């Protein structure tokens, strides 16, 4: 798949078949993600692969009832939970190197996008899930204090294709030379 076509064609998938994902496909997705860029190549990401139906359903319950991705968490054969090690990305000798503090959200975000694109290239679906009770998910998964759960995604074969939500026009977010003055 052409990269630009892949980036533009990836959609959030919220309906999954129960068919399993082969170990080969899963490893390909993770191997691709592994090559994501990160702050000073710190690679603060860690993944938890959840296949146990009881744990998937516990994780689904950390999403609000109105989250449109909720049912997909238990439906898909696999949930990939993306965690970040704290105090690594954006740090020099234990001190934050920029006003942004910990860059773990940024690096795990890039890694998640790589994972979603690799999955898409293999015909697999994903949806980045961010709206859930993170502390509850950390408790369920036994995540230690120095690590935090950032996002998760179901991973499986799409049962239905999704339409593309509208995007802003380029002119709405690209400025020339400096930030425009308020009218
Ligand atoms: C950081 C982040 C958090 C998100 N959280 C959720 C979520 O909790 N539930 C959900 O259904 N979709 C979630 N999404 C998916 C977005 O709604 C989706 O990417 C956006 O509407 C654009 O649609 P597309 O991915 O099909 O292009 C999230 C996406 C991102 C990047």
């Amino acid at each position: 798949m052409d990269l630009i076509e892949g980036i533009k064609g990836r959609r959030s998938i919220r309906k999954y078949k129960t068919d399993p994902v082969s170990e080969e496909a899963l490893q390909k997705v993770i191997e691709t993600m592994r090559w994501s860029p990160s702050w000073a190549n710190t690679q603060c990401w860690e993944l938890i692969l959840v296949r146990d139906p009881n744990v998937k359903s516990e994780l689904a319950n950390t999403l609000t009832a109105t989250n449109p991705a909720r049912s997909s968490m238990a439906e898909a054969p696999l949930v990939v939970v993306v965690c970040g090690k704290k105090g690594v990305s954006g740090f020099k000798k234990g001190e934050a190197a920029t006003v942004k503090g910990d860059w773990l959200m940024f690096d795990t975000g890039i890694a998640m996008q790589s994972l979603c694109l690799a999955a898409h290239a293999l015909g697999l679906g994903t949806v980045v899930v961010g709206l859930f009770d993170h502390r509850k998910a950390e408790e369920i998964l036994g995540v230690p204090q120095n690590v935090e759960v950032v996002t998760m995604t179901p991973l499986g074969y799409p049962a239905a294709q999704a339409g593309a939500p509208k995007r802003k026009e380029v002119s709405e977010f690209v400025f020339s030379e400096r930030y425009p003055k308020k009218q």
Side-chain angles (χ1 to χ4, degrees):
M1 183 184 284
D2 170 69
L3 184 59
I4 291 174
E5 183 194 315
I7 292 170
K8 292 176 79 171
R10 178 216 53 82
R11 292 281 73 78
S12 292
I13 302 297
R14 299 183 178 88
K15 289 255 166 269
Y16 290 86
K17 293 181 182 166
T18 51
D19 305 7
V21 174
S22 73
E23 195 53 35
E24 192 193 348
L26 175 63
Q27 289 311 320
K28 217 170 194 173
V29 167
I30 296 171
E31 171 60 22
T32 308
M33 190 223 90
R34 185 175 159 241
W35 288 97
S36 301
S38 61
W39 181 285
N41 200 24
T42 40
Q43 305 166 61
C44 72
W45 49 70
E46 290 183 324
L47 304 183
I48 304 174
L49 309 177
V50 180
R51 296 180 179 88
D52 183 328
N54 295 325
V55 183
K56 281 194 296 170
S57 141
E58 275 188 74
L59 288 176
N61 288 337
T62 66
L63 276 64
T64 55
T66 52
N67 192 319
R70 186 177 158 120
S71 59
S72 66
M73 296 281 298
E75 210 172 70
L78 186 71
V79 170
V80 181
V81 182
V82 179
C83 307
K85 269 193 195 163
K86 300 183 206 171
V88 176
S89 176
F91 284 77
K92 249 186 196 164
K93 293 185 182 140
E95 295 287 325
T98 70
V99 293
K100 301 287 181 202
D102 202 322
W103 281 68
L104 112 169
M105 295 293 286
F106 194 90
D107 286 359
T108 56
I110 294 174
M112 182 57 124
Q113 169 74 338
S114 303
L115 186 150
C116 293
L117 290 173
H120 175 53
L122 298 176
L124 289 161
T126 56
V127 53
V128 179
V129 177
L131 184 59
F132 61 101
D133 185 337
H134 289 78
R135 296 295 165 258
K136 195 94 223 256
E138 285 159 3
E139 204 181 295
I140 293 165
L141 299 166
V143 172
Q145 287 285 314
N146 64 324
V147 176
E148 60 179 272
V149 166
V150 181
T151 49
M152 42 194 186
T153 177
L155 184 70
Y157 292 94
Q161 291 303 329
K166 272 187 77 161
R167 289 327 202 234
K168 289 182 183 177
E169 293 302 327
V170 170
S171 59
E172 292 179 75
F173 61 87
V174 177
F175 313 129
S176 187
E177 310 306 345
R178 54 164 295 144
Y179 201 88
K181 289 200 175 94
K182 269 193 181 157
Q183 294 299 327

